[in-house]
């Protein structure tokens, strides 16, 4: 009997282990990659403060099975590892190493702008140093000015280059590893007062257009003044108003007004 009891206990123990294994199985969800806001940074007037706890997932009416089918990751992690392992093979093409000194998003946006210009960064730096706008319009100059290195970026790039400058070959390799925007920043680092020079170039490129707009408005105002001064119809109208006003005020005799300020015209409809 004692032997039989031991066997039963063994079976129960086996069942528990199976249940424990089932509990440990985790459902892998597809992730929504967003930038969460730290709770300490949420202000009382914020929408996130107002909606906190407003929705209970348990009370929502939705198809749970459909939800699971849409947002459950059914891919096998082992397959992903195999692909990664295959990518690391020495026979496969090597990916170009990239060093990121500046913010990734800023580097990407700067790279898009620079790709459209299709110019060597050293040539651009030389043009800025000589305040030569060339064929750049105001929009392009403003974009180039936007991607001048900040003090922090200047310091980071300078430290990176110095650490890699043990030889010309090493320095060249280090430069090749930088993104396009970083290479542009390095080229602009040798230009003194680059921001002020960009301001001058922008003023120069916009001057003729701005001057034309101002001159056009001055001409319009000058023509309007000339028409007011020379208009016979306006003179007759003002004379009629003056005469009628004097008649209303004095009956046409006594101390007559010789003229009136133009603000009186606003009171004629009273």
């Amino acid at each position: 009997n004692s032997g039989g009891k031991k066997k039963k206990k063994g079976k129960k123990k086996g069942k528990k282990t199976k249940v424990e294994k089932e509990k440990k199985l985790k459902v892998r969800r597809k992730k929504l990659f967003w930038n969460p806001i730290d709770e300490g940074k949420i202000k009382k007037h914020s929408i996130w403060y107002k909606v906190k706890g407003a929705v209970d997932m348990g009370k929502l009416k939705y198809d749970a099975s459909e939800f699971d089918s849409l947002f459950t990751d059914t891919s096998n992690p082992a397959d992903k590892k195999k692909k990664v392992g295959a990518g690391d093979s020495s026979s496969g093409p090597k990916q170009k190493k990239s060093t990121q000194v500046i913010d990734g998003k800023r580097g990407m946006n700067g790279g898009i702008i620079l790709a459209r210009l299709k110019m060597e960064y050293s040539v651009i730096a030389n043009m800025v140093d000589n305040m030569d706008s060339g064929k750049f319009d105001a929009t392009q100059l403003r974009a180039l000015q936007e991607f001048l290195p900040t003090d922090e970026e200047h310091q980071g790039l300078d430290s990176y280059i110095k650490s890699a400058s043990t030889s010309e070959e090493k320095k060249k390799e280090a430069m090749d590893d930088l993104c396009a925007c970083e290479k542009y920043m390095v080229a602009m680092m040798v230009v003194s007062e680059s921001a002020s020079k960009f301001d001058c170039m922008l003023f120069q490129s916009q001057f003729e257009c701005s001057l034309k707009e101002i001159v056009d408005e001055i001409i319009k105002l000058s023509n309007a003044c000339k028409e007011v001064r020379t208009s016979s119809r306006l003179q007759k109208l003002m004379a009629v108003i003056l005469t009628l006003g004097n008649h209303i005020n004095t009956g046409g005799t006594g101390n007559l007004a010789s003229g009136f300020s133009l603000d009186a015209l606003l009171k004629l409809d009273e």
Side-chain angles (χ1 to χ4, degrees):
N1 289 338
S2 60
K5 285 180 181 179
K6 283 180 183 178
K7 285 179 183 178
K8 284 179 183 179
K9 283 181 182 178
K11 286 179 182 178
K12 285 180 182 178
K13 197 169 184 179
K15 286 180 182 178
K16 283 182 182 179
T17 306
K18 190 177 181 181
V19 171
E20 285 172 1
K21 283 182 179 178
E22 287 176 357
K23 284 182 180 179
K24 286 181 181 178
L25 290 174
K26 292 182 180 179
V27 177
R28 289 182 295 106
R29 299 284 184 192
K30 291 178 180 177
K31 291 184 179 180
L32 181 63
F33 294 100
W34 56 20
N35 296 318
I37 301 172
D38 185 61
E39 191 174 358
K41 294 181 180 179
I42 295 175
K43 308 295 182 183
K44 286 188 177 180
H45 61 271
S46 166
I47 187 174
W48 305 119
Y49 183 86
K50 293 176 183 177
V51 302
K52 185 179 180 181
V55 177
D56 183 358
M57 188 69 183
K59 293 180 181 179
L60 288 178
K61 293 181 181 180
Y62 68 99
D63 190 330
S65 59
E66 184 182 7
F67 184 87
D68 288 340
S69 66
L70 290 172
F71 301 105
T72 301
D73 188 359
T74 56
S75 60
N76 190 349
D79 293 339
K80 291 182 181 179
K81 287 180 181 178
K82 286 177 183 177
K83 287 180 181 179
V84 172
D88 291 340
S89 175
S90 57
S91 59
K94 290 183 179 180
Q95 288 187 346
K96 188 178 182 291
K97 185 176 68 173
S98 179
T99 302
Q100 198 76 48
V101 180
I102 66 172
D103 175 70
K105 188 176 180 181
R106 178 165 157 81
M108 181 181 67
N109 292 337
I112 293 169
I113 298 294
L114 293 163
R116 292 172 183 166
L117 300 179
K118 297 177 182 178
M119 287 184 70
E120 292 290 333
Y121 308 133
S122 57
V123 175
I124 297 174
N126 189 54
M127 290 176 69
V128 175
D129 197 26
N130 294 313
M131 288 189 284
D132 175 16
S133 301
K135 294 182 180 179
F136 292 145
D137 57 28
T139 304
Q140 291 171 325
L141 289 171
R142 201 174 288 110
L144 287 170
Q145 186 180 31
E146 183 183 347
F147 291 100
L148 287 174
T150 62
D151 291 340
E152 187 179 350
E153 289 168 342
H154 191 295
Q155 187 178 357
L157 289 166
D158 193 44
S159 299
Y160 169 76
I161 293 167
K162 284 180 179 177
S163 65
S165 297
T166 53
S167 65
E168 283 299 319
E169 187 180 350
K170 290 284 184 183
K171 187 177 179 179
K172 187 179 181 302
E173 287 178 4
M175 285 295 295
D176 289 340
D177 289 338
L178 295 175
C179 70
C181 188
E182 289 168 332
K183 290 175 183 177
Y184 164 73
M185 288 181 176
V186 171
M188 293 304 301
M189 281 163 56
V190 299
V191 180
S192 61
E193 303 293 336
S194 55
S196 299
K197 287 178 179 178
F198 266 115
D199 288 336
C200 291
M201 292 164 71
L202 277 165
F203 178 80
Q204 184 183 27
S205 67
Q206 294 172 320
F207 178 76
E208 288 186 10
C209 183
S210 300
L211 179 63
K212 187 179 181 302
E213 289 177 2
I214 294 170
V215 169
D216 287 346
E217 294 301 316
I218 291 172
I219 291 171
K220 288 177 185 177
L221 181 60
S222 179
N223 290 337
C225 291
K226 185 179 179 180
E227 288 183 13
V228 169
R229 288 196 306 268
T230 59
S231 173
S232 57
R233 295 178 66 185
L234 180 62
Q235 290 171 9
K236 287 177 183 177
L237 177 63
M238 298 298 281
V240 170
I241 295 170
L242 178 62
T243 303
L244 290 173
N246 276 329
H247 189 76
I248 292 167
N249 291 338
T250 65
T253 59
N255 189 18
L256 301 177
S258 301
F260 56 86
S261 58
L262 294 179
D263 60 339
L265 295 174
L266 300 173
K267 301 173 183 177
L268 295 178
D269 62 343
E270 292 179 2

